[in-house]
Amino acid sequence: MSLAPDSATSIRRRLLIFLLPSLAVLMLAGVYTNYRAAMLFVQAAYDRRLADSALALATHIRITDREIHVDAAPQAQPAAGTEHADLPAPFYYSILGPGGRLLAGNPQLPTTQPGSANPTYADVRLATRELRLATYRLPTAGGTVIINVAEASDWRARPGHFILASTWLMDFIQVDVTLLLVWVAVHFGLKPLTAVRRQIEARSARELRPLEVAAVPSEVRPLVDALNLLFEMLSEAARSQRQFVADTAHQLRTPITGLLGHLELLMREPAAVPLQSRLAALHDELTRLAHSANQLLALARADPSANLTDKFESIELKSLVERVIEQHFDRSVEGGIDMGAEAQATRVNGSPRLLEDLLGNLVDNALNYTPKGGRVTVRSGFQDGRPYLEVEDDGPGIPEAERVRVRQRFYRLPGSPGRGCGLGLAIVEEISQLHRGVLTIEAGANARGTRIRVQFPPAGAPAANQPARHRETATSISS
Amino acid sequence: MRILVVEDNDLVADAIVRGMTMVGFAVDRAATAEAAGAALAAEHFDLAVLDIGLPGADGLSLLRRIRGSGSTLPVMILTARDTLAVKVEALDLGADDFLMKPFEQAELAARCRALIRRSNLSANGQLSLGRMRIDVTGRQLQIDNAPVDLTGREWLVLECLALHAGRVVSKERLQQAIANWDQVLTPNAVEVYVSRVRTKLGDAAVIRTVRGLGYRLDEPRA
Ligand SMILES: Nc1ncnc2c1ncn2[C@@H]1O[C@H](COP(=O)(O)OP(=O)(O)OP(=O)(O)O)[C@@H](O)[C@H]1O
Ligand SMILES: [Mg+2]
């Protein structure tokens, strides 16, 4: 998983940014209502206990002859059965007879106004203390007796703090677990996308068949459908470009074949003897034209978009070297050049046709620019786990300062002999890039001549190693 | 030797007809696959030169028809299109050789001669290479009608090279050809035998060394 969470477009990040504040507000509201609800129950429980104390006090009241007595004046203590015996709450009471006459208890303790309920409760203040007061009205034969019982409010705050703390804790854990679940759910939710990504990554630039849609979730389906549409358009474009190259080849090569054929026949006619040099020049120019057409077509073929549907396959470089040498052997014989091979068997994933163009152009250069008596060696091999193709000659060499420029289209070194049009090394570079190869131009052995090598990515590299061009295309599509 | 050229472009066809006639072939021309089919059915040819890009039925479908009828007629394919698929398909369909336009007249003639040579060889075990006449079944070599003596291994080397005249034969292949189950060959044994054959052939043929690969036997240039 490499969905970078720091990227502004990360789904996780967006979800978190969206969820975190809302979850925080929800958490605050939850804590508040939980606290309030819990406190209501706590208050009710404590109030009932206070009321119990008032009732307990009521048992001390005796009525004789319409006289109201309070038996033994109770201690200022809460009702029996208090759980907090070790933490005695400050406890106050007063018993008032009719007319507000104090019968027992604390004379300063306020009393509440009679309400609908009995007992009634109120928050009062005695000196500096906050108190919770319960007032019980006891109707007797001698009139209504008012029993006031109060305890310090702050004592009640203790369970309140505890409840608050535990609600906070629980809600906090809930939010965390929710966020964690979201994180994990996003991971699993995005799995199908990862599968689609793998499908795309596993392709070479030349594979444009539609993506599998069977396993794609409906949310991602439109994206995959759009991609498939794009793939289809690209294959269509590739098809028409290939068709164009093929048609052009036909349109150019067939008439050139006819012209060359007739010219060769003419040159053999006895009547043409006085015209020999002019006919030879014509023949040269026509050969150059044919060569230029071939080079242009090779360049078009090497264009990454031209061969998009051509499958790359495993190619034996040794037999490629043998084939190319065989194709050029006659020219080496004509040119008096000792051409040979040092071919090690090794394989590369690539297009046979394009690699033949690549090696053919390197050999063509070596034969063109190496003078008679020279030596040209074509190599295939394996270095640092990477297969390579190499052509070395002992000709004039390419000056160090020109080694980048000669790869440009139509660039030739000043004064270069022969029928070249300056496309060979551009074709080589293009095909090399398409195979993720590295093209190096150096001097040959003993600093003489030229050694040009194309080093391919390690053999057995995953199929996902698309040509570099594909990467560029991919980014330009996504941006 | 009679050949049929199937080519729709008049200029190209004319050049081929004239060029091949000049070097001693009897040449007929057909402009369409249909006409070619009729000509092949009516008369005997030693070889067909077939352009792929024909109007109507193309060269490949004609080739399919030829092979479908069980004919072993040597077929040389010409094409101006450079898709590898076409080449692979043509060879799969039973084409014997393949030449990309534009080509030189001499190249076409040499390749056609090689094809006819090969088909004669399978027909009667005889191989003619310039001044050499090789009787493969009888293991006899004649240069200018005079027999030349070859040892067993020398003969094997010559046979292997002559059967692939004009093509590079790898050293390993030659080594396998002359290897005997009871004898271990030193690595330079092949070189030794090749140089002996070279001496015995004299100027009747050239055996070129392709450094690092092998050898190629060529007819001396006229
Ligand atoms: N092996 C070599 N030795 C010396 N110079 C070379 C060699 N290879 C290339 N060059 C120089 O680099 C230039 C560019 O080479 P490139 O193959 O791109 O074009 P070209 O050979 O001139 O034309 P084309 O290959 O299209 O026929 C050549 O013109 C030549 O000057
Ligand atoms: Mg070049």
Side-chain angles (χ1 to χ4, degrees):
Chain A
M1 284 299 292
S2 57
L3 280 159
D6 51 336
S7 109
T9 48
S10 154
I11 291 185
R12 277 183 201 197
R13 202 180 134 102
R14 283 175 176 224
L15 263 180
L16 289 190
I17 288 176
F18 172 74
L19 283 178
L20 207 54
S22 13
L23 280 177
V25 169
L26 272 179
M27 183 177 91
L28 284 177
V31 168
Y32 178 74
T33 48
N34 279 353
Y35 174 69
R36 286 307 304 248
M39 282 315 286
L40 264 168
F41 284 105
V42 169
Q43 195 83 324
Y46 276 91
D47 281 353
R48 202 157 37 246
R49 204 179 61 169
L50 212 52
D52 288 347
S53 303
L55 285 177
L57 277 178
T59 58
H60 292 274
I61 293 169
R62 200 160 309 273
I63 314 286
T64 45
D65 286 339
R66 306 194 168 206
E67 278 291 305
I68 301 165
H69 305 279
V70 177
D71 266 3
Q75 301 297 310
Q77 289 230 328
T82 296
E83 304 95 290
H84 300 285
D86 50 333
L87 283 173
F91 184 81
Y92 310 87
Y93 78 94
S94 64
I95 302 174
L96 305 175
R101 184 169 53 91
L102 180 73
L103 296 179
N106 193 330
Q108 278 146 356
L109 194 65
T111 186
T112 64
Q113 295 307 308
S116 56
N118 192 24
T120 54
Y121 301 97
D123 291 310
V124 295
R125 176 174 274 281
L126 178 66
T128 58
R129 287 205 91 143
E130 302 269 357
L131 298 180
R132 179 71 174 169
L133 175 72
T135 303
Y136 184 61
R137 285 164 218 282
L138 178 72
T140 64
T144 303
V145 177
I146 297 173
I147 304 167
N148 290 314
V149 184
E151 63 184 0
S153 298
D154 56 359
W155 192 72
R156 295 186 167 198
R158 284 163 201 261
H161 290 326
F162 177 74
I163 288 169
L164 195 60
S166 62
T167 353
W168 265 117
L169 188 69
M170 282 315 295
D171 283 21
F172 189 70
I173 291 175
Q174 261 182 36
V175 168
D176 281 354
V177 169
T178 312
L179 288 181
L180 191 73
L181 284 179
V182 167
W183 190 265
V184 173
V186 168
H187 171 73
F188 282 102
L190 289 182
K191 272 220 154 142
L193 265 187
T194 320
V196 171
R197 189 189 65 181
R198 292 226 175 85
Q199 261 198 68
I200 298 178
E201 273 181 356
R203 306 176 153 213
S204 73
R206 317 182 149 245
E207 251 183 285
L208 287 177
R209 70 191 145 72
L211 296 166
E212 293 282 340
V213 287
V216 168
S218 54
E219 290 86 347
V220 185
R221 185 67 185 267
L223 177 69
V224 174
D225 283 345
L227 273 178
N228 279 344
L229 196 67
L230 182 68
F231 281 142
E232 205 178 293
M233 278 156 54
L234 281 176
S235 337
E236 191 44 51
R239 247 196 305 280
S240 59
Q241 179 165 357
R242 275 156 62 90
Q243 193 55 46
F244 174 76
V245 171
D247 290 347
T248 312
H250 192 251
Q251 295 304 323
L252 288 174
R253 286 193 180 129
T254 300
I256 291 175
T257 310
L259 291 175
L260 264 179
H262 278 280
L263 198 55
E264 282 173 21
L265 293 174
L266 267 181
M267 289 167 80
R268 281 193 248 159
E269 298 272 344
V273 171
L275 303 174
Q276 232 15 275
S277 64
R278 286 163 69 188
L279 288 178
L282 211 54
H283 189 268
D284 266 10
E285 210 50 41
L286 205 48
T287 323
R288 187 197 295 265
L289 177 64
H291 173 74
S292 298
N294 279 340
Q295 290 292 76
L296 282 170
L297 287 166
L299 195 63
R301 207 160 41 224
D303 191 295
S305 58
N307 273 267
L308 284 162
T309 45
D310 260 14
K311 287 255 168 56
F312 270 33
E313 53 190 81
S314 177
I315 293 159
E316 172 54 77
L317 292 188
K318 187 179 181 199
S319 47
L320 176 72
V321 167
E322 291 173 3
R323 215 168 343 130
V324 171
I325 288 195
E326 185 156 17
Q327 286 164 8
H328 291 81
F329 193 68
D330 280 336
R331 274 188 50 207
S332 77
V333 171
E334 273 165 36
I337 292 168
D338 169 24
M339 178 167 69
E342 285 170 20
Q344 238 181 307
T346 164
R347 293 189 159 271
V348 141
N349 201 36
S351 149
R353 181 66 221 250
L354 293 179
L355 288 179
E356 206 175 297
D357 282 345
L358 181 152
L359 195 58
N361 266 293
L362 293 180
V363 171
D364 181 65
N365 281 350
L367 292 177
N368 270 347
Y369 305 116
T370 307
K372 207 176 181 79
R375 192 177 158 97
V376 171
T377 305
V378 187
R379 299 193 182 91
S380 69
F382 208 68
Q383 195 186 336
D384 305 329
R386 307 169 102 228
Y388 66 86
L389 285 170
E390 183 179 277
V391 177
E392 179 172 347
D393 63 60
D394 55 2
I398 302 175
E400 207 164 335
E402 299 276 11
R403 286 180 192 160
V404 173
R405 204 127 52 106
V406 288
R407 305 167 192 215
Q408 289 171 2
R409 295 177 178 192
F410 299 110
Y411 182 77
R412 307 191 73 208
L413 290 188
S416 281
R419 58 194 169 107
C421 53
L423 285 178
L425 289 176
I427 294 168
V428 169
E429 173 126 290
E430 195 95 355
I431 296 174
S432 160
Q433 278 180 11
L434 209 53
H435 290 77
R436 296 185 77 204
V438 180
L439 172 67
T440 42
I441 303 178
E442 332 168 294
N446 305 320
R448 288 186 57 206
T450 311
R451 179 165 59 210
I452 302 189
R453 173 184 283 209
V454 177
Q455 187 130 31
F456 297 97
N465 76 59
Q466 321 95 308
R469 283 306 178 94
H470 184 48
R471 289 264 153 92
E472 284 165 28
T473 325
T475 35
S476 63
I477 287 169
S478 73
S479 61
Chain B
M1 280 167 291
R2 188 161 184 206
I3 66 174
L4 178 68
V5 174
V6 190
E7 163 68 65
D8 61 313
N9 183 289
D10 290 336
L11 193 67
V12 176
D14 189 37
I16 295 176
V17 171
R18 285 169 189 268
M20 296 299 272
T21 311
M22 212 178 228
V23 293
F25 289 93
V27 190
D28 285 20
R29 183 224 170 174
T32 63
E34 290 74 17
L40 287 170
E43 291 172 64
H44 170 81
F45 290 94
D46 295 297
L47 176 119
V49 176
L50 212 63
D51 179 37
I52 287 190
L54 294 172
D58 69 358
L60 288 182
S61 66
L62 177 58
L63 174 60
R64 198 176 290 119
R65 261 215 330 271
I66 294 173
R67 290 293 177 250
S69 72
S71 163
T72 56
L73 174 77
V75 173
M76 164 66 102
I77 293 285
L78 301 181
T79 183
R81 297 177 190 262
D82 44 4
T83 44
L84 193 69
V86 170
K87 183 170 179 175
V88 169
E89 193 183 353
L91 294 177
D92 277 354
L93 283 175
D96 298 273
D97 204 356
F98 194 96
L99 200 55
M100 178 81 86
K101 291 179 185 175
F103 45 82
E104 292 191 2
Q105 295 278 346
E107 172 90 13
L108 178 64
R111 297 247 212 147
C112 286
R113 240 182 259 121
L115 285 188
I116 292 174
R117 212 185 289 137
R118 234 204 291 158
S119 96
N120 283 348
L121 173 68
S122 54
N124 54 24
Q126 298 284 330
L127 195 63
S128 287
L129 262 176
R131 289 152 53 204
M132 295 193 293
R133 191 159 307 270
I134 303 170
D135 178 355
V136 178
T137 33
R139 294 205 157 196
Q140 287 256 320
L141 167 68
Q142 289 189 331
I143 296 179
D144 299 331
N145 295 323
V148 177
D149 274 341
L150 292 174
T151 67
R153 284 233 167 84
E154 287 166 3
W155 171 261
L156 290 171
V157 167
L158 173 69
E159 185 185 28
C160 196
L161 289 175
L163 286 178
H164 304 96
R167 311 209 51 190
V168 177
V169 177
S170 74
K171 220 169 172 176
E172 294 87 48
R173 187 151 176 187
L174 280 177
Q175 192 165 344
Q176 275 166 19
I178 63 175
N180 223 333
W181 55 271
D182 60 346
Q183 241 179 319
V184 181
L185 282 172
T186 59
N188 57 3
V190 173
E191 284 164 42
V192 172
Y193 288 108
V194 167
S195 82
R196 283 194 203 154
V197 173
R198 228 179 228 146
T199 320
K200 290 198 175 172
L201 294 186
D203 59 359
V206 190
I207 299 179
R208 296 202 157 88
T209 304
V210 188
R211 178 165 50 87
L213 282 188
Y215 302 91
R216 196 178 86 172
L217 184 141
D218 295 321
E219 291 176 58
R221 298 238 156 173

